[in-house]
Amino acid sequence: MFDTRELGRRPGALKRISRTVDAPPDLGTEVIGVPEGAPLTVELRMESVMEGVLVTGTVRAPLAGECVRCLEPLAREGEAEFQEMFSYPETDGHGRRPADAVEDEGDEETLFLQGDLFDLEPVLRDAVVLSLPLQPVCREDCPGLCPECGALLAEDPDHHHDDAVDIRWAALREFAGTLGPGETSGRQDKQNKAPRGRGDESQEK
C-alpha cells in the first residue's frame, strides 16, 4: 500500500518513492518467475491529476526458473515498467460518488484510491508476469537435450547414436541375431527339404 496524502489532491503535485518489498507468492509462470519473498525494488513517480493519481514506475526483481531446452536451472534479473491511474472515489466535491463512478466499480480496469491509499500489488503482478520470457533459455545457442537418451548436449557436443532401428523390425532383428551362422528358420528348412512332386521331375530323356 502507498500513501498519496502528501499530494493533497493538487493537480500537478509530484512525489517520488523508492521502496523494496517482498515478492508475493505465485509471481510468475510455470517455467520462470520471482521466488516468493525475493526483494522487489520499486521506483514510483506519483502525479496528482484532476481524476486521481497517475502512478508511473519501474520494478526490478531476481528471476529463477529453468531452461526450456536443457531443463537446467537459470537465474537472471528482470525489469518491468508500468503506468496506472488510480481514480478518486468521488469527484463532485461533496464526498459523494457520482452515478458514472458507481457503474465503473464493475469495470475491472478501473482502479480507485482507498481514501489516500492505493494497493500496487495487482499492477506489479501484471507488469512482472507480462515482461517474463515465454520460453526462457540459459543461453541463446543452448543445444538442449538428446531426443533419444536425454543427454545434455552442451556437455558432450559430439554426442550421437547409431542409426536407430525401426521399432516394427526390432523384434525380427533380435530373432535373427539368435540364429547361428549356418542356421535358418524352421519354415525355410521345411521349404528346402520338401520333396518334389511328380510334376517337378526332370523332363530329360
Side-chain angles (χ1 to χ4, degrees), residues 33 155 178:
E155 297 181 353
T178 62

Side-chain angles (χ1 to χ4, degrees), residues 8-115:
R9 296 197 179 188
R10 301 185 304 272
L14 295 174
K15 182 179 181 181
R16 298 181 184 275
I17 296 178
S18 180
R19 184 183 300 178
T20 299
V21 297
D22 294 337
D26 302 323
L27 185 57
T29 63
E30 295 181 354
V31 291
I32 192 170
V34 182
E36 181 177 356
L40 293 178
T41 302
V42 183
E43 296 182 0
L44 297 181
R45 178 181 182 271
M46 300 187 300
E47 180 181 2
S48 179
V49 296
M50 292 296 296
E51 298 83 5
V53 177
L54 180 64
V55 179
T56 305
T58 302
V59 56
R60 298 180 181 86
L63 303 178
E66 65 178 23
C67 175
V68 296
R69 296 179 186 172
C70 66
L71 306 183
E72 289 293 300
L74 59 85
R76 62 180 60 174
E77 292 293 319
E79 180 177 325
E81 297 179 350
F82 56 89
Q83 185 176 72
E84 191 64 54
M85 168 70 75
F86 289 87
S87 301
Y88 294 131
E90 73 286 329
T91 58
D92 63 357
H94 301 285
R96 294 176 300 180
R97 189 173 302 184
D100 57 348
V102 174
E103 294 176 358
D104 286 344
E105 284 186 328
D107 186 354
E108 295 181 356
E109 296 184 358
T110 302
L111 300 178
F112 290 94
L113 290 167
Q114 302 172 20

